[in-house]
Amino acid sequence: MDLTFNKNEDQNKLALSDLKKRYAQIRKGGGEKRIQKLHSEGKMTARERIEYLLDAPETALEIGAFAGFGMYEEYGGCPSGGVVVKIGHVSGRLCVVVANDATVKAGAWFPITGKKNLRAQEIAMENHLPIIYLVDSAGVFLPMQDEIFPDKEHFGRIFRNNAQMSSRGIPQIAAVMGSCVAGGAYLPIMSDEALIVDKTGSIFLAGSYLVKAAIGESVDNETLGGATTHCEISGVTDYKAKDDKDALERIKNLIDKMGAFPRAGYNRVKPAKPAKDPKEIYGLLPGSRSEPYDMVEIIERLVDEGSFEQYKEGYGKTLLTGYARIDGWAVGIVANQRRVVKTKKGEMQFGGVIYSDSADKATRFIANCNQKKIPLVFLQDVTGFMVGSQSEHGGIIKDGAKMVNAVANSVVPKFTVVIGNSYGAGNYAMCGKAYDPRLMIAWPSANLAVMSGNSAAKVLLQIEKARLEKLGESIDKDKEAALYEKIKQKYDTQISPYYAAARLWTDAIIDPLQTRRWISTGIEAADHAPIDKAFNMGVLQV
């Protein structure tokens, strides 16, 4: 291996080490003291509950682990958004599991908590997966109620989704393993079946203190809304469990008896390992986001051996399109080529930029995949569409619009991996979050923004200089350099994959070696939901 390879490997492994350290801290939730407090009450933590429930916890996908990262610091933070969400097998059936983390503000709902719960429900609804709620929450975090209560994508949408899933035949099981108060009390009861843990679980619209204040009645919480009350008097819950493990075993038994489901029928054969060692990705991927590399080399370490067959290989070279298999599943790959390439006309095309011919090729390829019912995988390292008079005269906006149209109207499941840059309209054309990928994941090397930190800082610097000059302030070179660096540092923070993951713009930041498992599990999930509409791109400027 050459010096460049070794340098890249060191940088990428350092970034991966940083990811692992941050995740290890997040796994602690509200901290060791609060974990010990839960244990002293005879309760398991959210992560312990999920690990006990799943058949193989180590292979499950965690959605939104970095949700809330660096946010709500004035309130002490909100690790993982105060809720743990995983996709994994329960009694052999792929399920979405949602568990409130009572070590984080007693499981209270911050705005990001609501967004993450809605994302979990969205995954279940898109893929027709059973969803299991492990409820242990004090309800809405009142200091921020105005950001979670009244709007369309706020708290109430959860219950709307409960009703929608029930009408679509998507199974929902809820276990009340701690507090379940106020509006949150509707979630388990709008599920198909509800369990409650004796002595530790409780459900009520208003607790004993509020009842006393509202109507003058004196009653303890257990009598008001404990397991005995709801299993023997109100009939609100269906099963009484003696403890957390008993409740989780009952859920396993309920899932075990579910019938078969229709399948979409995506093509799969016996999986094969990649032809080249995936660990070499660390050395192939440059540490700098501006350096070129050959995306084909990355693809050959992600797909099954010998399966990648390029479509229109000699045309539109800044986008790679082709068929392959990942863990046996047939996929169509659309990937940005980061090398500077030469066309047959002798023109040079810059890597990571989408040109008219590239967009044209991708549009047709996406249509072909929809025609043949092949899931799409987008590998993003894109700086945007080509600009300039030649591109504008050549119709880059028209060709870009066709590609965006194809992505937006695609009916096969889409999966997006942000390997490097994800800038501007390139993010949209390469199936960014706004275009409904079933899963969107990022490597530690990812950057997401309107443009790069350097470009944005230069633009913002010119705006700031113009503003200061209007106020009569002079700017020397040193002050200009300091101002540029200040702007760039702020912008660089915002293009970080952690900033994106904190806000659920991506579902996870992962080790590149986990990419095959994420895509394979994603297609397995998508196979639960047959396609019920035809691919149609509507009106286009041809």
Side-chain angles (χ1 to χ4, degrees), residues 173-174 193-197 227 230-231 237-241 250 254:
I173 298 173
E193 294 182 279
L195 305 84
I196 186 168
V197 177
H230 286 310
C231 286
T237 51
D238 306 307
Y239 309 94
K240 182 199 288 189
R250 286 170 179 256
L254 291 171

Side-chain angles (χ1 to χ4, degrees), residues 464-475 479:
E464 182 64 9
K465 279 177 63 179
R467 186 186 72 83
L468 292 174
E469 286 169 358
K470 282 184 179 179
L471 296 174
E473 296 185 32
S474 60
I475 303 176
K479 188 173 182 180

Side-chain angles (χ1 to χ4, degrees), residues 451-464:
M451 61 182 74
S452 70
N454 283 329
S455 299
K458 288 175 183 177
V459 173
L460 293 170
L461 177 63
Q462 295 306 313
I463 295 171
E464 182 64 9

